[in-house]
Amino acid sequence: MAAGEAGGMVLGKSADKLFSLSGLFAVYKPKGPTSAAVLNLLKERLLAEAGVQTNGNKRNQVLKIGHGGTLDSAAAGVLVVGIGKGTKMLSTMLTGSKKYTAIGLLGRATDTLDATGKVTEEKPYDQITKGDLENVLRKFTGDIMQVPPLYSALKKDGERLSTLMKRGEAVEAKPARPVKVYSLSLQQFQPPLFTLDVECGGGFYVRSLVSDIGKELSTCAMMQELTRTKQGPFTLEEHALYEDKWTIDEIARSLQRCTSLLSGEPAHKKLKTEHPGETAVSCE
């Protein structure tokens, strides 16, 4: 493709700049939309600013952009985005470490393991103390086995399990698989709510962790809220661009900052996938 052209279109300066962008940066994903919807909105904003006309799905061929790990609709936080050649670096983000703050609710279970699902069970929780919770967390730290939730982005015959579940199809639970929890701590305990900080490797589901903690405490639990505070070297506080900063110039600046960030981050080299051969399905 000749410089200054995209799909046969002659472009202006801002479009030239947009199509020259390459690398990884982070955006803030709010609670509500899917990760894909946030990415599409970002893409539309950038193409509109560049004055590039798009017809339906052709925009997907015009601007190369992708994200490095799905966040559930109900979750908020850091979403790492690859643009241009940066899309090839996204697999590193999927398998690297991530940090979350999760609010769990004791005494209630749902079919999705979070607040979006139907209540499937309610149990007393009054007997549980802060000490009980802290003791249980030790069992979920290090290399552990975890059964992924049925409502998830994992796939069966090319379709997401969550899509099959919503259609009412029978879905078997995936077998437990090895996952890594680097750190897990209790930040707050105000029954029935408890707040956890967790740092984990790829393929880990915080919803499953909260549910498993409930079972271990002889009650049940579901995840009330989830925020991803860090993914690889990208933190929510320092690097995530909010919607008002989704401009070509802001992203160009962010890409410059993030390039040095990636070169100075040896950890993501070490944290190779715990699930080789798994497609880009994500942590929560």
Side-chain angles (χ1 to χ4, degrees):
M1 195 184 286
E5 291 184 15
M9 297 177 292
V10 178
L11 306 173
K13 264 187 186 176
S14 57
D16 268 350
K17 185 166 185 179
L18 173 60
F19 289 104
S20 71
L21 296 178
S22 190
L24 296 178
F25 63 102
V27 298
Y28 172 75
K29 179 206 160 310
K31 193 175 167 179
T34 63
S35 296
V38 169
L39 198 68
N40 282 334
L41 179 62
L42 172 67
K43 199 186 290 187
E44 280 164 21
R45 287 278 173 85
L46 294 174
L47 289 170
E49 186 192 342
V52 177
Q53 296 298 311
T54 60
N55 300 316
N57 288 330
K58 284 188 183 169
R59 64 161 180 257
N60 295 326
Q61 294 145 31
V62 172
L63 183 63
K64 212 170 176 189
I65 197 166
H67 68 72
T70 306
L71 259 180
D72 285 348
S73 306
V78 177
L79 188 67
V80 176
V81 177
I83 191 165
K85 289 178 181 167
T87 53
K88 292 177 180 168
M89 301 158 72
L90 288 170
S91 57
T92 312
M93 288 298 114
L94 285 164
T95 55
S97 86
K98 303 161 183 75
K99 283 186 181 176
Y100 295 88
T101 298
I103 299 175
L105 176 79
L106 289 168
R108 187 179 300 162
T110 66
D111 55 359
T112 58
L113 310 186
D114 65 14
T116 65
K118 291 178 190 155
V119 177
T120 55
E121 194 179 15
E122 291 193 280
K123 280 185 167 182
Y125 57 85
D126 306 350
Q127 73 284 7
I128 294 160
T129 66
K130 187 181 180 188
D132 293 336
L133 243 175
E134 285 171 335
N135 287 337
V136 158
L137 296 189
R138 294 191 194 121
K139 295 186 181 182
F140 295 98
T141 307
D143 292 304
I144 62 167
M145 298 297 285
Q146 186 187 65
V147 176
L150 287 174
Y151 279 89
S152 71
L154 294 177
K155 292 185 177 178
K156 179 192 173 189
D157 303 329
E159 279 203 90
R160 286 183 172 210
L161 294 187
S162 53
T163 308
L164 297 172
M165 290 287 288
K166 282 170 190 165
R167 280 213 302 264
E169 294 187 25
V171 176
E172 276 184 45
K174 291 263 183 184
R177 57 193 192 164
V179 289
K180 196 177 274 289
V181 179
Y182 297 100
S183 65
L184 178 59
S185 59
L186 181 66
Q187 297 303 309
Q188 214 172 2
F189 183 53
Q190 290 180 305
L193 298 175
F194 60 97
T195 304
L196 302 173
D197 274 354
V198 56
E199 182 173 8
C200 55
F204 183 85
Y205 282 89
V206 184
R207 280 179 290 154
S208 293
L209 168 70
V210 170
S211 173
D212 291 343
I213 286 169
K215 288 172 190 163
E216 196 67 38
L217 290 164
S218 302
T219 180
C220 53
M222 60 160 226
M223 193 174 70
Q224 187 81 10
E225 272 184 50
L226 183 70
T227 305
R228 184 154 68 198
T229 56
K230 191 170 189 272
Q231 185 174 7
F234 299 91
T235 67
L236 184 57
E237 272 181 29
E238 291 177 73
H239 309 111
L241 296 177
Y242 284 74
E243 210 179 310
D244 60 339
K245 295 272 170 72
W246 291 0
T247 66
I248 295 167
D249 284 348
E250 284 286 357
I251 287 167
R253 276 196 286 274
S254 190
L255 285 168
Q256 277 185 320
R257 285 201 307 273
C258 294
T259 302
S260 60
L261 193 68
L262 289 162
S263 59
E265 164 81 0
H268 77 284
K269 297 280 185 217
K270 292 185 296 195
L271 296 166
K272 275 296 172 202
T273 178
E274 284 94 37
H275 309 296
E278 185 159 289
T279 51
V281 293
S282 89
C283 202
E284 209 109 19

